Amino acid sequence: MDTSGSMNQRTYMGPTYLDYGKIAAESFLKIRAKDHQNYKDRYMLVTCEDFPAAIKVGWRDVMRDPTPTTYFREELSKLTATSMTNLGGAIKNSLDLLNIHRVGNGLDNYGQGRNPFLYEPAVVIIISDGCKLTNTQTVTDTVCCL
C-alpha cells in the first residue's frame, strides 16, 4: 500500500486516495472470503516506509491470528499517508518476506531450486495513486530498489 504524502490528496467526493485504497483492500478481502476454497489465504501488509517499519502485517502476525483477516483489517485502518513513494523498496520487502517464508517452509532450497510438488502460489497487489516515485535521494519516473 502506497502511504506517501500524495495519498492524502482529496478527491472531489471528499475521501482521500488512501481512503479509497483502504476501501479497495477491504473489498478484495470480502470477495475472497465469499469463496470457501480461499480459507487458507494469508495476507501481509507492506507499506512504502523504510524497513522494518514498512511491515505492518508479516508472517508471524498472520500465523497467530485466529481468523486470516482480523489483524490485517486492524492495521489497515491505522494506516496514515506520511512517507515517501518508495515503491521499489516496498516491492523488494514484500518479495524478501515471501522468500524467507518459502525457504523456512522448505518450498525453496538453496542450491536445489524449487520443489515442483510443493505448490504455494503468491500474489503481490500494489495499491498506489500513480504519482512520481520518491525516496530520500531523488524523484523518478521508474521503479528502482535502493
Side-chain angles (χ1 to χ4, degrees), residues 83-140:
S83 64
M84 302 285 211
T85 310
N86 187 9
L87 200 54
I91 294 169
K92 179 188 178 299
N93 290 336
S94 301
L95 295 176
D96 285 347
L97 285 173
L98 183 59
N99 187 45
I100 290 168
H101 169 72
R102 288 184 168 176
V103 169
N105 288 340
L107 298 172
D108 284 339
N109 298 301
Y110 287 113
Q112 297 176 355
R114 178 168 288 152
N115 294 325
F117 53 87
L118 295 175
Y119 179 67
E120 187 173 304
V123 176
V124 176
I125 299 172
I126 301 167
I127 299 175
S128 177
D129 60 353
C131 285
K132 296 275 188 190
L133 304 173
T134 59
N135 57 36
T136 55
Q137 286 91 18
T138 186
V139 176
T140 63

Side-chain angles (χ1 to χ4, degrees), residues 37-110:
Q37 293 179 341
N38 302 329
Y39 72 95
K40 287 187 178 182
D41 283 0
R42 290 170 291 179
Y43 304 98
M44 291 190 326
L45 182 61
V46 179
T47 64
C48 289
E49 297 175 53
D50 291 329
F51 183 82
I55 302 165
K56 301 302 182 189
V57 179
W59 289 114
R60 187 173 295 145
D61 302 319
V62 170
M63 296 304 175
R64 72 182 172 127
D65 194 3
T67 60
T69 60
T70 305
Y71 191 67
F72 183 93
R73 289 175 197 260
E74 288 174 12
E75 291 299 314
L76 183 67
S77 67
K78 294 178 192 176
L79 286 183
T80 58
T82 57
S83 64
M84 302 285 211
T85 310
N86 187 9
L87 200 54
I91 294 169
K92 179 188 178 299
N93 290 336
S94 301
L95 295 176
D96 285 347
L97 285 173
L98 183 59
N99 187 45
I100 290 168
H101 169 72
R102 288 184 168 176
V103 169
N105 288 340
L107 298 172
D108 284 339
N109 298 301
Y110 287 113

